[in-house]
């Protein structure tokens, strides 16, 4: 029997952004349900890693300088006011976790709030959310949104995959507003912690009429030991790289080693050693990042004295910047009542055309989640839940095929097809117009298959996979179409056939559409009307 | 990917079934969970972190299943390493969380950038 619930605020996704959204909404007095595809506490890319947040004390000059410096690197696509906002909100919000996370006390007796270890951080957020009365539905992926007759968000529907018959137990939640916090889309690369990040939220929102932005910035890569998921770049600051002949690969002294390594990997195997890491750091590495040495130890490799093979794992939009387009300062999408937070939203406003990984993305997840949570709590208060009115389900591909349902494992064919277009380095890191056009034609074909023949499978896993496959195809199309529509090189988006940056293209590109994908120039920045915050009272 | 549930260590608590973010395990009445969807495993090691009996083994290869020798792995002392280093459960206080020093890795590892030639 379907689990039918009603609440003020529904949060889809229980990673960093979803947890902060749920906590903010609950703090504002709202009743909150949070549904995660996996387990809130281990799910999402933060739970397996350990993020550093953008952290600048409330000294006006320091903050202005931080924004100036970062904005200068954003290649014209960020907005200084949005950057200043996340610095401020992160500074005020992050320390509220103190009751649930054992912060290290650093020199001068000051708790270190800025960077937290992933498993402990997400465990703390779960406890914090539960303590504020948030109802968490684990292993309960959302499959589609519900819409009011006026087109605004009314809730969502999904499946509890550990309950009921083989097909799982359906759930339906009606709410005053919905927050999509489903993370970025990693195109099923072996990026640490990203298996669930298949762009489901992007698809669900687009089916409801939302637009996307910055989907061309989906090319970030991270080095890892070959066959391993440990995409943690900190230790690789000490790496030296070699080709099969033992010649050192010149990485140009640039901390971003992606392009030289990708070129070398296209030519043959690449080896690395961490021999330059000083012994004092080697000794404490397991206490900084306890998982990073596990793959080495389990294979009998000493990364400090031996050379080992490496790879680059793609990240899609995770540490790229593209995602759902935001229409206002509360992170509302182009669909009324539907909000986007964290990596599911575009991060161009705070990171521009380069990666927001390393500081901005986490600060964005905390801040966008907080704003969206507060906004939907207000919406529930002002307008009520509207839970009695009839609603329509917005989902298409993978739920309601227009033609004959496929008998073969179409989900697998589609995901393999997407991976073949979105993961090879020569297609993604060294983009060319004609190759992008061919990819897009292939992906359009996959979409038609998905739309016409992709049916929900018989068991819960197959039902979820069908929707994941549809979402992956949709995200791949927006990403490829936007890359084609930007005939220049700008930040993460690199066109081998147009190596220059075109000043006439110093604006964002929005995209959308399902049957027909479109791309359009977007010169608007959502206005910020909220009064400037009072000086933070938080400790320095 | 996850390769082993060691029946003689497992207490049947089903914690791994609950916390695995990709729903890899199925609980079994009156016995240890089974690895039901190995291909969904994202090699995050978090089930090992939560298993207080050190009854799980995740092989480092995220691309394909590998053959593992359960006896050799038990003998190696590798089981439970993640929990020990993380200072979880009975290891609380014995391995302090030094994550705040992550920035030092980046700072000290960075090679000096060569001065641009005029
Ligand atoms: C290895 C790594 C290290 C990083 N380190 C940093 C750093 O140091 N600093 C920094 O600023 N950024 C860092 N980042 C960037 C990071 O992406 C963000 O900081 C942050 O994790 C984004 O949080 P999120 O909640 O938006 O996404 P996630 O944490 O990925 O959470 C998404 C959640 O949505 C759930 N979900 C997906 N689909 C559905 C569905 N259909 N129904 C229900 N739930 C669903 C998933 O299960 C998951 O729990 C790092 C990223 C990686 C990969
Ligand atoms: S968590 Fe460990 S002890 Fe508990 S059921 Fe899983 S394997 Fe067994
Ligand atoms: S390694 Fe991660 S994904 Fe794999 S079984 Fe363990 S918890 Fe699940």
């Amino acid at each position: 029997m379907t689990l039918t619930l009603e609440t003020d605020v529904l949060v889809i996704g229980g990673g960093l952004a979803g947890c902060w959204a749920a906590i903010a909404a609950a703090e504002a007095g709202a009743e909150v349900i949070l549904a995660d595809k996996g387990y809130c506490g281990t799910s999402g890319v933060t739970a397996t890693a350990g993020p550093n947040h953008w952290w600048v004390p409330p000294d006006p000059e320091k903050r202005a300088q931080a924004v100036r410096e970062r904005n200068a690197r954003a290649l014209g696509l960020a907005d200084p006011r949005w950057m200043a906002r996340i610095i401020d909100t992160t500074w005020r919000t992050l320390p509220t976790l103190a009751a649930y996370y054992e912060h290290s006390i650093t020199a001068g007796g000051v708790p270190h709030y800025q960077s937290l270890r992933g498993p402990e951080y997400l465990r703390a957020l779960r406890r914090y959310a539960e303590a504020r009365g948030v109802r968490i539905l684990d292993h309960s992926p959302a499959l589609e949104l519900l819409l009011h007759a006026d087109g605004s968000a009314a809730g969502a529907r999904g499946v509890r995959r550990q309950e009921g018959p083989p097909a799982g137990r359906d759930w339906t939640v009606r709410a005053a507003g919905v927050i999509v916090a489903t993370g970025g889309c990693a195109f099923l690369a072996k990026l640490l912690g990203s298996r669930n990040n298949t762009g489901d939220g992007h698809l669900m929102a687009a089916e409801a009429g939302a637009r996307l932005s910055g989907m061309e910035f989906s090319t970030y890569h991270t080095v890892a030991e070959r066959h391993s998921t440990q995409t943690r770049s900190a230790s690789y600051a000490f790496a030296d790289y070699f080709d099969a002949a033992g010649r050192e690969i010149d990485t140009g002294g640039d901390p971003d080693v992606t392009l030289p390594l990708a070129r070398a990997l296209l030519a043959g195997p690449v080896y690395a050693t961490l021999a330059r890491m000083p012994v004092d750091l080697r000794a404490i590495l397991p206490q900084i990042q306890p998982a990073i040495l596990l793959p080495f130890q389990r294979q009998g490799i000493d990364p400090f004295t031996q050379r080992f093979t490496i790879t680059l794992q793609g990240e899609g939009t995770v540490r790229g910047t593209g995602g759902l387009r935001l229409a206002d300062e509360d992170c509302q999408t182009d669909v009324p009542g539907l909000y986007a937070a964290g990596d599911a939203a575009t991060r161009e406003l705070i990171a521009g055309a380069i990666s927001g990984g390393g500081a901005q993305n986490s600060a964005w997840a905390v801040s966008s989640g907080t704003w969206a949570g507060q906004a939907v709590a207000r919406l529930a208060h002002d307008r009520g839940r509207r839970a009695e009115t009839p609603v329509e389900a917005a989902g298409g591909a993978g739920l309601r095929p227009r033609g004959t349902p496929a008998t073969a494992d179409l989900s697998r064919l589609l995901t393999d097809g997407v991976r073949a277009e979105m993961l090879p380095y020569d297609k993604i890191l060294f983009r060319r117009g004609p190759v992008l056009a061919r990819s897009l034609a292939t992906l359009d074909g996959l979409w038609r298959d998905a739309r016409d023949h992709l049916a929900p499978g018989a068991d819960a896993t197959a039902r979820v996979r069908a929707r994941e496959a549809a979402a992956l195809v949709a995200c791949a199309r927006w990403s490829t179409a936007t890359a084609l529509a930007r005939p220049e090189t700008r930040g993460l988006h690199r066109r081998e056939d147009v190596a220059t940056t075109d000043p006439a293209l110093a604006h964002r590109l929005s995209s959308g559409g399902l049957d027909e994908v479109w791309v359009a120039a977007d010169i608007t920045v959502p206005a910020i009307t909220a009064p400037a915050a009072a000086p933070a009272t938080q400790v320095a | 990917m996850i390769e082993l549930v060691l029946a003689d260590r497992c207490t049947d608590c089903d914690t791994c079934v609950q916390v695995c973010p990709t729903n890899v395990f199925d609980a079994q009445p009156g016995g240890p969970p089974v690895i039901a969807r190995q291909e969904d495993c994202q090699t995050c090691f978090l089930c090992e972190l939560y298993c207080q009996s050190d009854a799980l083994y995740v092989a480092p290869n995220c691309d394909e299943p590998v053959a593992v020798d359960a006896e050799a792995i038990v003998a190696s002392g590798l089981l439970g390493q993640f929990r020990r280093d993380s200072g979880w459960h009975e290891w609380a206080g014995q391995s302090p969380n030094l994550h705040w020093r992550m920035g030092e890795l980046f700072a000290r590892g960075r090679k000096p950038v060569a001065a641009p030639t005029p």
Side-chain angles (χ1 to χ4, degrees):
Chain A
M1 216 187 69
T2 303
L3 174 69
T4 306
L5 300 167
E6 89 171 53
T7 187
D8 294 327
V9 180
L10 171 64
V11 182
I12 304 177
L16 196 50
C19 287
W20 280 113
I23 290 163
E27 289 275 3
E31 195 180 296
V32 186
I33 293 177
L34 181 155
D36 193 86
K37 189 191 281 187
Y39 174 80
C40 171
T42 59
S43 220
V45 293
T46 314
T48 49
N52 175 59
H53 299 71
W54 206 7
W55 196 246
V56 191
D59 166 338
E61 191 34 51
K62 276 195 183 128
R63 288 199 171 173
Q65 192 191 343
V67 170
R68 248 191 333 270
E69 280 173 7
R70 186 57 181 77
N71 193 39
R73 295 191 290 124
L75 299 166
L77 301 194
D79 183 81
R81 290 160 303 170
W82 278 76
M83 296 173 122
R85 282 180 89 197
I86 68 163
I87 292 177
D88 194 57
T89 299
T90 303
W91 181 269
R92 293 157 186 283
T93 308
L94 205 44
T96 65
L97 191 67
Y100 307 93
Y101 186 99
E102 227 177 295
H103 292 284
S104 306
I105 306 297
T106 54
V110 184
H112 181 92
Y113 296 117
Q114 164 175 10
S115 100
L116 300 98
R117 206 157 71 191
E120 289 83 359
Y121 188 4
L122 265 291
R123 185 180 59 174
L125 282 171
R126 182 186 179 100
R127 289 176 180 164
Y128 189 0
E130 282 178 336
R132 291 298 176 279
V134 173
R135 176 160 181 194
I136 296 174
L137 305 179
D138 295 310
H139 298 291
S140 302
L143 296 174
E144 61 180 330
L145 294 176
L146 303 173
L147 299 178
H148 290 291
D150 63 7
S152 61
R157 202 141 83 178
V159 57
R160 287 175 71 71
R161 59 184 184 181
Q162 292 191 341
E163 275 181 26
R169 181 182 181 201
D170 288 351
W171 62 260
T172 299
V173 175
R174 292 286 301 263
V178 179
I179 300 169
V180 173
T182 46
C185 178
F187 297 115
L188 289 183
K190 299 289 175 168
L191 168 69
L192 184 59
S194 71
R195 169 60 187 85
N196 289 340
N197 294 21
T198 43
D200 308 2
H202 302 66
L203 174 64
M204 289 188 277
E207 287 170 334
R211 289 185 264 179
L212 295 106
S213 184
M215 290 300 282
E216 68 277 37
F217 304 113
S218 48
T219 60
Y220 195 75
H221 282 68
T222 305
V223 64
E225 195 252 322
R226 188 161 173 253
H227 297 310
S228 130
T229 51
Q230 291 296 317
T231 47
R232 310 297 310 277
S233 38
S235 293
Y236 285 87
F238 296 99
D240 293 316
Y241 301 98
F242 305 89
D243 65 14
R247 281 183 303 251
E248 182 159 0
I249 295 166
D250 181 11
T251 52
D254 193 322
D256 184 0
V257 294
T258 300
L259 293 179
L261 289 187
R263 280 193 199 95
L265 283 163
L266 285 168
V270 175
Y271 302 83
T273 172
L274 307 180
R276 283 193 296 115
M277 189 184 290
V279 280
D280 64 310
L281 288 179
R282 291 181 199 180
I284 60 166
L285 191 55
Q287 284 167 264
I288 301 177
Q289 299 180 336
I292 185 143
L293 290 175
L294 298 180
F296 292 117
Q297 288 159 340
R298 289 172 189 205
Q299 295 172 91
I301 297 170
D302 179 350
F304 306 117
T305 59
Q306 287 171 281
R307 292 183 186 177
F308 51 91
T309 45
I310 56 114
T311 187
L312 284 169
Q313 302 286 14
E315 302 211 2
T317 69
V318 172
R319 275 187 277 193
T321 51
L324 289 163
R325 181 181 181 276
L326 302 175
D328 70 17
E329 62 188 318
D330 293 327
C331 300
Q332 192 164 210
T333 66
D334 290 301
V335 177
L338 185 66
Y339 295 70
D343 291 352
T346 177
R347 282 134 297 152
E348 292 160 292
L349 294 169
I350 54 99
I354 66 167
S355 173
Q360 280 78 38
N361 276 5
S362 300
W364 171 253
V366 175
S367 306
S368 59
T370 300
W371 301 329
Q374 290 168 344
V376 183
R378 274 198 308 275
L379 188 68
H381 179 268
D382 295 348
R383 212 177 46 176
R385 295 177 178 176
R386 301 199 287 160
E388 307 307 326
T389 53
V391 291
E392 271 201 51
L399 285 165
R400 301 175 183 91
R402 292 190 197 164
T404 22
T407 42
D409 189 353
L410 185 54
S411 297
R412 159 111 14 179
L413 289 173
L414 295 172
T415 43
D416 287 350
V418 168
R419 286 168 51 94
E421 301 307 326
M422 301 310 287
L423 299 183
Y425 308 138
D426 50 349
K427 288 185 180 169
I428 291 301
L429 286 167
F430 307 104
R431 286 170 164 162
R432 287 184 177 83
V435 181
L436 287 167
R438 271 201 300 279
S439 286
L440 189 56
T442 304
L443 293 164
D444 284 345
L446 296 182
W447 178 257
R448 286 191 292 273
D449 286 346
R451 181 194 64 193
D452 295 341
H453 307 298
L454 186 59
D459 64 36
T461 306
R463 291 177 67 190
V464 178
R465 283 198 186 138
R467 283 298 271 172
E468 290 178 340
L472 288 163
V473 178
C475 288
R477 288 170 81 217
W478 296 316
S479 174
T480 307
T482 317
L484 196 55
R486 193 182 272 289
E488 62 158 355
T489 289
R490 186 180 295 271
L492 286 171
H493 167 68
R494 208 178 155 284
R495 281 278 292 260
E496 198 72 351
D497 51 349
V498 203
T500 50
T501 303
D502 181 353
L505 290 173
H507 51 70
R508 286 178 292 283
L509 294 176
S510 56
S511 57
L514 293 163
D515 284 345
E516 294 295 333
V517 165
W518 55 265
V519 179
D522 186 1
I523 50 164
T524 57
V525 172
I528 298 163
T529 54
T537 48
Q538 208 56 60
V539 288
Chain B
M1 294 196 279
I2 179 79
E3 292 291 352
L4 292 175
V5 180
L6 296 163
D8 53 341
R9 290 179 170 224
C10 175
T11 57
D12 234 347
C13 68
D14 286 345
T15 300
C16 53
V17 180
Q18 191 196 353
V19 303
C20 169
T22 64
N23 196 32
V24 160
F25 303 97
D26 273 345
Q28 297 295 309
V34 293
I35 301 168
R37 285 163 294 273
Q38 187 188 27
E39 63 177 311
D40 284 340
C41 173
Q42 61 171 359
T43 319
C44 65
F45 300 97
L46 289 171
C47 51
E48 284 194 29
L49 183 60
Y50 276 84
C51 174
Q52 295 202 47
S53 312
D54 299 334
L56 295 167
Y57 178 75
V58 178
N61 192 320
C62 65
D63 292 317
E64 60 214 353
V66 293
V68 293
D69 177 346
E71 262 173 57
I73 286 163
V74 172
S76 71
L78 288 171
L79 295 172
Q81 174 100 34
F82 193 14
R83 284 194 321 117
R84 280 199 295 282
D85 288 342
S86 300
W88 277 39
H89 313 125
E90 74 270 30
W91 305 102
Q94 296 183 50
S95 178
N97 178 349
L98 298 183
H99 189 269
W100 63 278
R101 292 182 64 177
M102 183 172 75
E104 235 177 278
L105 293 173
F106 285 114
R108 289 170 66 185
R110 184 165 298 186
K111 280 183 176 172
V113 179
T117 39

